[in-house]
Amino acid sequence: MASSLTKDPASTSGSAKTFFGHPRGLATLFMTEMWERFSYYGMRALLPLYLIAPNGLHMNPATATAIYSVYVSMVYLLAMPGGWFGDRVWGPRKTVTVAGGVIMLGHLALALPAQGTFFAGLGLVAIGSGLLKSNISTMVGHLYDGPDDARRDGGFTIFYIGINLGAFIAPLVIGTIGENVNWHLGFALAAVGMGIGLVQFLMGTRHLNERSLVVPKPLSAAERASTLRKAMIWLVIAAVFYIVTVVTGVYTLNWILVPITIAGLIIPIVVLARIKRDKELSADEQSKMSGYIWFFVAAAVFWMIYDQGGSTLAIFADSSAKNTILGWDFPVSWYQSVNAVLIMALAPVFAAFWMALNRRGKEPSTIVKFSSGLVLIGASFFLFLMPLTIAGDGHKAAAMWLVAIYFVQTVAELTLSPVGLSVTTKMAPAKYASQMMGVWFLAVTAGDCTTGLLSIAGVDLNGTGVVTLQAALAVVAGVAIFMYRGKVKRLMGDVR
């Protein structure tokens, strides 16, 4: 990677280095995010398999899916308070530093062979990931001279490659060690990965923009005292409640899972309602928020199905698939690398395709792209019915069935996710411009919490009836958005 560092022609000193023509700090943030994603996706690939393994926690698939879904939903839910910490308390750079340390400690806790430390580790990784997620992207933006810098979009593209590079490599390394050698050694490798990322981040901070040290809107002394007081009150209430449940002998894992999943569904509704009811918004902003709710609900349906690629599909692969290609066996966790490598291969193709259509005046609208993504994610679960039927007849399904499902889901993601991010920034009221990206992440939280509640209720997500119902729901949602595209377009105002 050192060979990519060249002299920056725009530098006033004549000695500054660039990273593929971008500010040198991008290399620091690229590597930090790559190693953080390496630790996150490596652990995530092992998580459902460890939960159901006889030499792991030996849980039933429904409980494992619920835990997995709650964990993923918390990562995205905590991105909002993580951004708040960066804006109001520590500043982006300090927040990312603390986040890296918390994530590393979380993975080390997972590496200890005890159920209590395991769940504590999951909580720490979720908290650290939430702190890091928003703030590291903010620091990428700080490297450029405002939104009009011609290199800005390219810089975020390179940064996005770092995310997917870490996600691709992690299951191949951590998954192999965890499944074939020792589960806890695999979790320890995730800690090592985050440790490497944190060390190189600290060594490379001199290349970052000084704005990353600034707290944009620091809390006043009164606000700080009030926030701390409220946090302590809620902490004491939670501690007392759970101590009582343990002492009285009524505590089960659902006492944790159910409140979190319900909160993960209520919080997005409350946040959207608060923004929508803000009387300071103009009529145009109110209209756009009404239109945005359509996209938000549809996105929640999308992520509900998409994120089951790491739980429902992984558990099916573990029990009912031939994890073999050309006679060569591979670990189940390797399926989690498929999406990342397909993203890296197909993202440039999609970008070129949309640009080619745009030049001819034929690029589909945001609504058409969004509805297409929903139909495709539904199609992926209709495709899932084939290996389910094969397994139901007492046979093992071929690995390529699962690869095909991941392929369709990746195409769906590339159709919907970038569009969702874009439309979120375009339709955001000026007052909530910095918060709306966190609102978009809440759609992931809502989708995963829906999956979690279904699993807690004992629904077999690998059942053909449930898979068919979810697939049909996504297709109907996609068709509904397309059918009502005229109404949604009017609500969107000048956004296209």
Side-chain angles (χ1 to χ4, degrees), residues 316-324 335 391 395-399 402:
F316 173 83
D318 186 57
S319 62
S320 305
K322 298 179 192 173
N323 303 310
T324 302
Y335 284 112
H395 304 288
K396 294 273 190 178
L402 292 169

Short mmCIF file of all heavy atoms in Angstrom, two decimals, residues 316-324 335 391 395-399 402:
data_model
loop_
_atom_site.label_atom_id
_atom_site.label_comp_id
_atom_site.label_asym_id
_atom_site.label_seq_id
_atom_site.Cartn_x
_atom_site.Cartn_y
_atom_site.Cartn_z
N PHE A 316 -29.19 -22.42 8.31
CA PHE A 316 -29.61 -23.42 7.33
C PHE A 316 -28.39 -24.10 6.70
O PHE A 316 -28.35 -25.33 6.55
CB PHE A 316 -30.45 -22.77 6.23
CG PHE A 316 -30.78 -23.69 5.08
CD1 PHE A 316 -31.84 -24.58 5.17
CD2 PHE A 316 -30.01 -23.69 3.93
CE1 PHE A 316 -32.15 -25.45 4.13
CE2 PHE A 316 -30.29 -24.56 2.88
CZ PHE A 316 -31.36 -25.44 2.98
N ALA A 317 -27.39 -23.29 6.33
CA ALA A 317 -26.18 -23.85 5.71
C ALA A 317 -25.47 -24.81 6.64
O ALA A 317 -24.93 -25.85 6.21
CB ALA A 317 -25.23 -22.72 5.31
N ASP A 318 -25.47 -24.50 7.94
CA ASP A 318 -24.79 -25.34 8.92
C ASP A 318 -25.43 -26.72 9.03
O ASP A 318 -24.73 -27.72 9.22
CB ASP A 318 -24.81 -24.64 10.28
CG ASP A 318 -23.99 -25.38 11.33
OD1 ASP A 318 -22.79 -25.60 11.10
OD2 ASP A 318 -24.57 -25.74 12.37
N SER A 319 -26.74 -26.78 8.88
CA SER A 319 -27.43 -28.05 9.10
C SER A 319 -27.89 -28.75 7.83
O SER A 319 -28.02 -29.97 7.81
CB SER A 319 -28.66 -27.82 9.99
OG SER A 319 -29.58 -26.95 9.35
N SER A 320 -28.11 -27.98 6.75
CA SER A 320 -28.83 -28.56 5.61
C SER A 320 -28.19 -28.34 4.26
O SER A 320 -28.83 -28.59 3.23
CB SER A 320 -30.26 -28.01 5.59
OG SER A 320 -30.92 -28.23 6.81
N ALA A 321 -26.96 -27.84 4.20
CA ALA A 321 -26.32 -27.60 2.92
C ALA A 321 -25.03 -28.41 2.77
O ALA A 321 -24.38 -28.73 3.77
CB ALA A 321 -26.01 -26.11 2.75
N LYS A 322 -24.68 -28.75 1.52
CA LYS A 322 -23.38 -29.34 1.22
C LYS A 322 -22.40 -28.19 1.05
O LYS A 322 -22.36 -27.55 0.02
CB LYS A 322 -23.42 -30.13 -0.09
CG LYS A 322 -24.36 -31.31 -0.13
CD LYS A 322 -24.28 -31.93 -1.52
CE LYS A 322 -25.41 -32.93 -1.73
NZ LYS A 322 -25.41 -33.40 -3.14
N ASN A 323 -21.63 -27.95 2.06
CA ASN A 323 -20.70 -26.83 2.01
C ASN A 323 -19.41 -27.28 1.33
O ASN A 323 -18.33 -27.33 1.93
CB ASN A 323 -20.46 -26.30 3.43
CG ASN A 323 -21.77 -25.90 4.09
OD1 ASN A 323 -22.56 -25.17 3.50
ND2 ASN A 323 -22.03 -26.41 5.28
N THR A 324 -19.60 -27.61 0.06
CA THR A 324 -18.53 -28.20 -0.74
C THR A 324 -18.60 -27.64 -2.15
O THR A 324 -19.69 -27.51 -2.72
CB THR A 324 -18.68 -29.74 -0.81
OG1 THR A 324 -18.67 -30.26 0.52
CG2 THR A 324 -17.54 -30.36 -1.61
N TYR A 335 -19.51 -18.25 3.77
CA TYR A 335 -20.61 -17.66 3.00
C TYR A 335 -20.71 -16.16 3.24
O TYR A 335 -21.18 -15.42 2.38
CB TYR A 335 -21.94 -18.32 3.39
CG TYR A 335 -22.16 -19.70 2.82
CD1 TYR A 335 -22.18 -20.82 3.66
CD2 TYR A 335 -22.36 -19.90 1.46
CE1 TYR A 335 -22.39 -22.09 3.15
CE2 TYR A 335 -22.58 -21.17 0.94
CZ TYR A 335 -22.59 -22.26 1.79
OH TYR A 335 -22.80 -23.53 1.28
N ALA A 391 -33.90 -29.71 1.19
CA ALA A 391 -33.59 -30.17 2.55
C ALA A 391 -34.79 -30.87 3.18
O ALA A 391 -34.64 -31.82 3.95
CB ALA A 391 -33.15 -28.99 3.41
N HIS A 395 -32.46 -34.32 1.74
CA HIS A 395 -31.18 -34.19 1.05
C HIS A 395 -30.48 -32.90 1.49
O HIS A 395 -31.09 -32.00 2.05
CB HIS A 395 -31.38 -34.18 -0.46
CG HIS A 395 -32.10 -35.38 -0.99
ND1 HIS A 395 -31.52 -36.63 -1.05
CD2 HIS A 395 -33.36 -35.53 -1.48
CE1 HIS A 395 -32.38 -37.49 -1.55
NE2 HIS A 395 -33.52 -36.85 -1.81
N LYS A 396 -29.19 -32.84 1.20
CA LYS A 396 -28.43 -31.61 1.45
C LYS A 396 -28.48 -30.73 0.21
O LYS A 396 -28.27 -31.21 -0.92
CB LYS A 396 -26.97 -31.94 1.78
CG LYS A 396 -26.79 -32.70 3.10
CD LYS A 396 -26.67 -31.74 4.26
CE LYS A 396 -26.25 -32.48 5.53
NZ LYS A 396 -26.08 -31.57 6.67
N ALA A 397 -28.76 -29.45 0.40
CA ALA A 397 -28.81 -28.53 -0.73
C ALA A 397 -27.40 -28.14 -1.16
O ALA A 397 -26.49 -28.01 -0.34
CB ALA A 397 -29.60 -27.28 -0.34
N ALA A 398 -27.21 -27.95 -2.46
CA ALA A 398 -25.91 -27.56 -3.00
C ALA A 398 -25.53 -26.16 -2.54
O ALA A 398 -26.39 -25.28 -2.37
CB ALA A 398 -25.92 -27.63 -4.52
N ALA A 399 -24.24 -25.95 -2.34
CA ALA A 399 -23.75 -24.64 -1.88
C ALA A 399 -24.11 -23.53 -2.85
O ALA A 399 -24.36 -22.38 -2.44
CB ALA A 399 -22.23 -24.70 -1.70
N LEU A 402 -27.13 -21.30 -2.15
CA LEU A 402 -26.91 -20.21 -1.21
C LEU A 402 -26.14 -19.06 -1.85
O LEU A 402 -26.43 -17.89 -1.62
CB LEU A 402 -26.19 -20.71 0.03
CG LEU A 402 -27.03 -21.67 0.91
CD1 LEU A 402 -26.16 -22.33 1.97
CD2 LEU A 402 -28.18 -20.94 1.56
#
